[in-house]
Amino acid sequence: HHSFPPFDLDVLEELHDGRDALLQKLQELFTLPSSFKVGTYKVEIHEMREMRMLGLGQYAHNNQPVHHLPVLFAMLGDRNTTYRLV
């Protein structure tokens, strides 16, 4: 996952070629369309529906491993985005 380890921001920044690039990657996650393919499920499952209804791009709050993502903005200096999302 592109945002792990969330506890080592220096490594995350390095892996993404800098703070600005990491912030851009996070911003993309929240702004890309909430599109998906049902794949082997053959029908839209509730997690897919909830992600689309949330209206935050590819961010799916019902997926617990991503709960730290909105806070990463503030940890990287963009508190306004964290305030807006949380």
Side-chain angles (χ1 to χ4, degrees), residues 17-81:
D17 294 324
R19 181 172 293 217
D20 290 339
L22 176 55
L23 282 167
Q24 178 62 36
K25 181 69 173 177
L26 289 170
Q27 196 62 252
E28 287 175 10
L29 180 90
F30 283 90
T31 57
L32 287 172
S34 299
S35 58
F36 52 83
K37 296 181 180 177
V38 296
T40 58
Y41 291 114
K42 299 200 182 355
V43 296
E44 181 180 282
I45 60 174
H46 72 93
E47 287 93 345
M48 296 170 181
R49 186 171 42 258
E50 290 164 2
M51 183 182 82
R52 187 179 57 246
M53 291 170 56
L54 187 59
L56 291 175
Q58 292 292 314
Y59 176 78
H61 192 74
N62 58 359
N63 184 9
Q64 293 85 355
V66 302
H67 286 178
H68 68 287
L69 292 178
V71 178
L72 280 180
F73 286 100
M75 294 174 72
L76 294 165
D78 183 1
R79 289 178 178 84
N80 289 333
T81 299

